Amino acid sequence: MIRYPMASLPPSESRAVRRRHHSPPKLLLAIIAIATTIYPSSNNSHYLASAQNLAGKFASRPKIVETSSSNKKRNQKKSDQNGEYTTQWGSFMNSLEGWGSFLFYENGMSWLGSFSWSVVPDSSHDAVRSSGKRKKRWRKENGHVVADSSWKRDLFAAEFYMIVLSIIISAAIAVLSWIWYVGTNLKSQSAKTMQEGEEGAEDIVCENLEQTHSGFFESVAVGFEDITMTLKQKKKKGDGNGNNERLILDGSIRGVAQPGRMLAIMGPSGSGKSTLLHAISGQLKQDKKISLYGKRYVNGVPLTGDSKIPSAFIEQEVNFFPHMTVKETLDFRVELKMGACLKTKKERDDLVNDLMNQLGLTKSANTIVGNAKVRGLSGGERKRLSIACEMISSPPVIFLDEPTSGLDSYQATQVIETLRKLADKGKTVVAVIHQPSQHTFQLFDDLLLISEGKLMYYGERSKVREYMEGLGYGCEAEVGTAEHILDCVSRVVGADAEAERESVNRIETIARAADQHAREWVSFDLDYKDSKNIERKMKHIVDLTATHPGTNLLRQFKLLFGRSIQETLRGKAAIIIKIVQQVSLGLIYGGIYSLGDNQASIMDRFGLLSLIVIGATNMAMAGTIRSFPKEKSIVSVEVASSLYRTFPYFISKALSELPLIGIFNAIFSSLIYPLARLQKGRFKAFLGLTSLHSIASEAVGLLIGSISPSSDVALALFPPIIVLNIIFDGKNISEENTPALLRWVNKVGLIRWGFTGLAVNEFQGLAFNTSGPRRGPVVKTGEEALARFGLEGKSIDDVIGAQTKIIAGCWFLSFLGLALTRQKYEVMQNPPN
């Protein structure tokens, strides 16, 4: 709140007028009055009478004048007849004056407003005095200071917007509260009623985890049938008959994954194995070109399309933060997933140690995970770590997309043997396997074989060889079963036409037999009415478990901020590169520029400051654009799995970048400032402005990265944005000649505001020698130099305000970009009749 000094008053009057009233009962009374204004009733006449009485009492009090210099009172005019102030609101303001007095003032002061108010009389009590840019008339009656009778209209001219704003805010709060209340009630009707002693989402998560590991979900059988998926293509890629839809899964696929058993999904490349796995698990990424139909069952109960199976899903390629060790990665996820359920540090450490023992990661506990550029875990260890991360909450079902891809036979066997141990403990394991070895193949119990989106076989793995022989496609004893069945269901391409026709006929024959065989083995004929209550209960429990993170927002922020700082500090190569960049630029600029006080140094100063701003913008934006989309690919998966919320992640990410920005700018500024001989006594402001500019540039980089689907798209957006900022930097094109559609760029130009700030800081207070080489008219002072570029009247405060708004706006839009682009999945619809 801004306060201004009050003019001298008699002590008694000064104390009475300065008294402010912010007591809760009066605030409550104002809210009630606003509510009755919005919702009029027959009782309002009582308040109106009170307001009129108050207005009558205030008529003899000193006039209240707003002392905030920011409000110009644009609607106020002065009468030529009596010198009093009047407003353009006319009779409408007269009708509001009683209510306004009642709502906003008591004892002549504002007790609900947001400004500081004071009485401004003339020292002689009979003359016109000015306060700032305003003039008020006072007169003296019986030895007392009395305001003109028009004080109420003046008061409402200043406070009218506050009255309207208060009513709008009150109405908005009421509407939002009503929406929240209705939404909460609707959710509670289909959601679990919280038991006594529960306090929030953390307790719901803990209770649902207990229910998931007992009773209906202790062991889960996942059934599926009639899975159909089509992909819309461009017309020129259609089949020539006007049909531009490509059939990915034809609806013949059905089967059941049983608890305690491992189901392998196999087939040739491009047959739809991974698509089928994603569709069954509910992890098929949303795409407008995809149409997905089918039925899924959990323990014989049909699922609705948007229901989740209580499961873990391990993608083919799992990314981790490269500089975290195995133990740190598991600690982080255990804290977020189970922090509310496992109250003590010992319980959480025991869970981490148990996971590392089960998955053979104990020896690698202190090894960093690494990535393609940072050496860390081996491929098999990374696969086992991804399984360990998903097994923290011990889900009853595990889906894996090609867990052996990219591994040698030994590492692949190690991963499958780990899954075999989990299945022996009662887990349901479903995995897509591509060309397994004979030993790996024998570790599975059941087999689902597909080709070109059609079912080729479903049943026990041990009987598939005999089944193929029964269809007339036997194999020699020395040929492995996995190799043989893949040869049977693969189409011959690139050979003679006869061989290709034979392969097509073979696939069709096997598909017809498989469809008949699967319908005999798998049946889901259930009485839907009997299972409806179970389905509702199951859907509710699973949805709540998937919706809420396992810990509160404050704890999420603490863990995410620690991870961000840790990743930043451990990236030593990136830190060294950035330090080298800052030192190199500082030495290059300082070695070239040596500024004096002659006329030529004016242009040199402008050129150096422009280069500093452009270089800082390039480095800050480019570094963020290159790194953030990669990090976003990891974060989007973690957010989609409800490990944490988007808000605490983004805040921790934005704040964790600030310390290093300050350090890098301190290194650069410490070199360039003395070497280039910039103005003495302005180093602190120079350092602050360059740091603020770097933060703003990084905020823009975050915005680009958050809305870009990939690093390539973000890097493609980078050059045009930089070029626009350079063009509209304040000196390449005048604001008057800027195209009308692009004038907004001047308001948000990064380089423009950065250059303005450094120029004002450097030139204000400088005096130049008029001798020596000249560049146009002689400039004697820094202020005259600033005027050449249209920077007269600019201040550092203006620059700080503008860049702060840019940072806040970019952070807000970046958060919205992350929240709105979070991963969504296809909803499986019931098959059309």
Side-chain angles (χ1 to χ4, degrees):
M1 182 179 295
I2 304 174
R3 295 183 181 272
Y4 294 89
M6 300 177 65
S8 59
L9 282 176
S12 59
E13 293 186 28
S14 178
R15 285 193 299 270
V17 173
R18 291 175 182 175
R19 187 178 297 120
R20 302 295 300 265
H21 299 269
H22 293 284
S23 63
K26 293 176 180 178
L27 291 176
L28 179 60
L29 183 61
I31 295 172
I32 294 173
I34 294 173
T36 55
T37 304
I38 302 173
Y39 303 103
S41 65
S42 59
N43 295 328
N44 284 358
S45 58
H46 170 72
Y47 296 106
L48 184 59
S50 300
Q52 291 173 349
N53 291 335
L54 286 174
K57 293 179 180 179
F58 293 152
S60 62
R61 301 204 175 190
K63 179 165 61 172
I64 308 305
V65 182
E66 181 187 359
T67 57
S68 173
S69 59
S70 62
N71 192 334
K72 303 290 186 181
K73 291 188 179 179
R74 299 181 180 89
N75 299 315
Q76 223 169 33
K77 297 180 180 179
K78 188 173 181 180
S79 171
D80 295 331
Q81 297 177 358
N82 53 16
E84 296 179 353
Y85 283 81
T86 59
T87 65
Q88 66 180 15
W89 304 107
S91 60
F92 176 68
M93 293 307 305
N94 293 331
S95 64
L96 285 178
E97 58 188 14
W99 268 106
S101 301
F102 172 67
L103 289 177
F104 292 98
Y105 297 95
E106 181 172 325
N107 293 337
M109 294 302 298
S110 165
W111 52 271
L112 189 62
S114 59
F115 295 91
S116 176
W117 301 79
S118 63
V119 175
V120 188
D122 184 82
S123 57
S124 62
H125 303 302
D126 56 1
V128 175
R129 249 180 102 93
S130 66
S131 174
K133 295 182 180 180
R134 301 173 178 81
K135 294 184 178 181
K136 303 297 176 183
R137 181 174 294 278
W138 300 85
R139 66 177 183 272
K140 188 174 181 181
E141 291 183 5
N142 301 325
H144 297 284
V145 179
V146 180
D148 286 334
S149 60
S150 62
W151 72 271
K152 289 182 286 185
R153 289 194 301 274
D154 294 340
L155 182 146
F156 279 99
E159 283 294 301
F160 177 78
Y161 290 116
M162 180 179 291
I163 297 172
V164 175
L165 182 61
S166 300
I167 295 174
I168 292 174
I169 291 174
S170 301
I173 293 174
V175 171
L176 292 175
S177 301
W178 179 79
I179 293 174
W180 173 82
Y181 176 78
V182 172
T184 303
N185 283 348
L186 290 176
K187 189 173 182 179
S188 64
Q189 290 175 5
S190 60
K192 175 182 67 62
T193 302
M194 295 181 60
Q195 305 296 325
E196 293 183 6
E198 292 184 347
E199 296 178 358
E202 296 180 359
D203 302 289
I204 295 175
V205 171
C206 294
E207 181 176 339
N208 288 330
L209 285 174
E210 293 176 1
Q211 295 185 35
T212 303
H213 300 148
S214 63
F216 186 74
F217 294 105
E218 185 175 6
S219 59
V220 173
V222 180
F224 47 91
E225 65 174 341
D226 302 333
I227 306 297
T228 305
M229 178 181 155
T230 58
L231 176 65
K232 292 182 180 179
Q233 302 181 109
K234 296 181 179 179
K235 292 184 178 181
K236 62 180 181 181
K237 293 185 178 180
D239 57 4
N241 298 322
N243 183 16
N244 62 337
E245 288 190 350
R246 177 189 172 192
L247 188 64
I248 307 298
L249 301 173
D250 72 343
S252 64
I253 299 172
R254 60 170 52 210
V256 179
Q258 300 287 350
R261 298 175 68 85
M262 292 176 61
L263 172 64
I265 301 177
M266 293 180 58
S269 298
S271 59
K273 305 183 298 294
S274 295
T275 301
L276 175 62
L277 183 76
H278 284 76
I280 296 171
S281 61
Q283 297 292 317
L284 189 64
K285 294 181 179 179
Q286 194 176 67
D287 192 335
K288 294 181 179 179
K289 299 179 181 179
I290 291 177
S291 298
L292 180 64
Y293 301 94
K295 297 178 182 179
R296 297 180 298 160
Y297 304 85
V298 169
N299 290 343
V301 177
L303 283 177
T304 56
D306 57 347
S307 294
K308 303 293 190 302
I309 296 174
S311 62
F313 188 89
I314 293 93
E315 289 279 6
Q316 183 176 350
E317 294 293 334
V318 181
N319 296 318
F320 296 98
F321 283 84
H323 298 102
M324 295 180 70
T325 65
V326 171
K327 189 175 185 307
E328 288 170 346
T329 302
L330 290 173
D331 280 336
F332 174 78
R333 289 175 177 257
V334 167
E335 289 278 353
L336 287 173
K337 276 190 175 183
M338 306 296 291
C341 305
L342 303 178
K343 301 297 184 181
T344 64
K345 185 69 166 63
K346 185 179 183 304
E347 290 177 327
R348 296 191 291 271
D349 289 341
D350 290 342
L351 176 58
V352 171
N353 294 329
D354 184 52
L355 287 170
M356 289 192 296
N357 290 332
Q358 286 185 37
L359 295 160
L361 295 169
T362 304
K363 293 182 180 179
S364 308
N366 296 317
T367 304
I368 62 172
V369 177
N371 57 15
K373 297 181 179 179
V374 181
R375 186 177 180 83
L377 297 178
S378 64
E381 289 172 330
R382 285 173 61 86
K383 291 287 185 181
R384 295 200 297 274
L385 175 60
S386 64
I387 297 172
C389 290
E390 296 297 329
M391 292 305 298
I392 288 173
S393 57
S394 189
V397 184
I398 307 171
F399 294 103
L400 304 102
D401 186 13
E402 297 197 22
T404 60
S405 66
L407 305 180
D408 57 39
S409 59
Y410 174 76
Q411 289 180 331
T413 302
Q414 291 287 312
V415 172
I416 300 302
E417 285 181 347
T418 300
L419 296 174
R420 179 73 263 174
K421 294 176 182 177
L422 294 173
D424 292 340
K425 293 181 180 180
K427 305 295 182 184
T428 304
V429 179
V430 184
V432 171
I433 300 295
H434 184 66
Q435 292 183 342
S437 65
Q438 189 62 27
H439 176 65
T440 300
F441 183 67
Q442 291 177 349
L443 293 174
F444 286 89
D445 301 294
D446 302 314
L447 174 65
L448 179 67
L449 187 64
I450 64 174
S451 178
E452 299 181 354
K454 303 175 182 179
L455 179 65
M456 299 286 110
Y457 174 80
Y458 169 73
E460 295 183 16
R461 184 266 315 159
S462 59
K463 297 180 179 179
V464 64
R465 193 181 186 105
E466 180 183 349
Y467 175 81
M468 288 297 178
E469 290 178 356
L471 295 176
Y473 304 107
C475 69
E476 300 178 359
E478 63 271 13
V479 178
T481 304
E483 181 182 355
H484 171 66
I485 61 176
L486 288 176
D487 289 340
C488 290
V489 300
S490 297
R491 173 180 290 194
V492 176
V493 179
D496 58 273
E498 182 64 25
E500 185 173 351
R501 186 165 53 253
E502 288 181 1
S503 67
V504 172
N505 292 333
R506 182 174 65 250
I507 291 173
E508 293 295 333
T509 301
I510 296 174
R512 287 193 298 269
D515 183 62
Q516 182 179 358
H517 178 263
R519 292 184 184 278
E520 294 175 356
W521 273 66
V522 183
S523 177
F524 299 102
D525 296 331
L526 299 173
D527 186 355
Y528 184 76
K529 293 181 180 179
D530 293 340
S531 62
K532 196 168 184 179
N533 292 331
I534 301 176
E535 177 192 352
R536 186 183 297 110
K537 177 182 176 182
M538 178 275 306
K539 178 183 182 299
H540 163 65
I541 294 176
V542 174
D543 286 348
L544 276 183
T545 305
T547 300
H548 299 286
T551 186
N552 57 51
L553 290 176
L554 184 59
R555 195 168 187 178
Q556 292 173 40
F557 170 77
K558 178 182 177 182
L559 293 170
L560 291 166
F561 184 74
R563 182 177 72 172
S564 297
I565 291 291
Q566 179 177 277
E567 276 293 306
T568 302
L569 295 180
R570 287 186 180 179
K572 296 180 181 178
I575 292 176
I576 291 173
I577 290 173
K578 290 182 179 180
I579 291 176
V580 170
Q581 287 177 338
Q582 299 293 342
V583 172
S584 300
L585 285 177
L587 293 177
I588 291 172
Y589 291 160
I592 295 175
Y593 288 91
S594 181
L595 304 175
D597 61 351
N598 57 23
Q599 295 293 300
S601 69
I602 297 174
M603 186 59 65
D604 293 346
R605 276 183 167 83
F606 279 120
L608 174 60
L609 298 178
S610 179
L611 289 174
I612 290 173
V613 173
I614 294 174
T617 304
N618 270 292
M619 287 190 293
M621 287 182 62
T624 305
I625 287 174
R626 281 195 299 266
S627 62
F628 186 63
K630 298 177 183 177
E631 182 175 329
K632 190 177 72 170
S633 65
I634 304 174
V635 172
S636 62
V637 175
E638 295 177 340
V639 172
S641 62
S642 297
L643 195 62
Y644 49 80
R645 300 296 191 195
T646 304
F647 180 72
Y649 161 73
F650 182 77
I651 294 298
S652 64
K653 172 66 178 176
L655 295 181
S656 65
E657 302 288 343
L658 301 184
L660 281 181
I661 290 177
I663 293 173
F664 295 147
N665 279 281
I667 294 173
F668 173 78
S669 300
S670 299
L671 291 172
I672 186 64
Y673 212 85
L675 291 176
R677 298 172 61 189
L678 293 170
Q679 183 180 179
K680 294 181 179 180
R682 299 294 183 93
F683 175 76
K684 291 181 180 179
F686 179 86
L687 175 59
L689 289 169
T690 53
S691 298
L692 187 63
H693 176 71
S694 296
I695 295 172
S697 301
E698 193 152 10
V700 175
L702 283 175
L703 175 58
I704 296 172
S706 65
I707 62 176
S708 302
S710 65
S711 298
D712 294 335
V713 175
L715 289 173
L717 293 174
F718 175 60
I721 291 176
I722 284 291
V723 169
L724 271 178
N725 275 276
I726 293 176
I727 292 174
F728 297 101
D729 66 348
K731 63 181 187 301
N732 287 319
I733 185 172
S734 63
E735 189 170 353
E736 295 78 8
N737 294 329
T738 302
L741 294 177
L742 295 176
R743 287 179 182 174
W744 60 271
V745 181
N746 283 317
K747 305 295 182 181
V748 297
L750 272 177
I751 296 177
R752 181 235 175 161
W753 286 111
F755 173 74
T756 300
L758 294 184
V760 170
N761 180 68
E762 174 63 21
F763 279 90
Q764 280 185 347
L766 278 181
F768 295 101
N769 192 342
T770 56
S771 62
R774 298 181 180 181
R775 300 291 185 270
V778 175
V779 174
K780 297 181 180 180
T781 65
E783 286 74 10
E784 294 179 5
L786 291 174
R788 282 191 178 183
F789 288 93
L791 299 180
E792 69 278 9
K794 300 293 184 182
S795 66
I796 293 178
D797 290 341
D798 296 334
V799 175
I800 293 174
Q803 291 195 327
T804 302
K805 292 177 182 177
I806 292 174
I807 294 170
C810 288
W811 281 359
F812 177 71
L813 294 176
S814 300
F815 167 71
L816 286 183
L818 285 176
L820 296 177
T821 59
R822 61 183 301 178
Q823 188 60 61
K824 298 179 180 179
Y825 300 102
E826 284 291 332
V827 175
M828 185 178 291
Q829 306 292 334
N830 289 326
N833 296 329

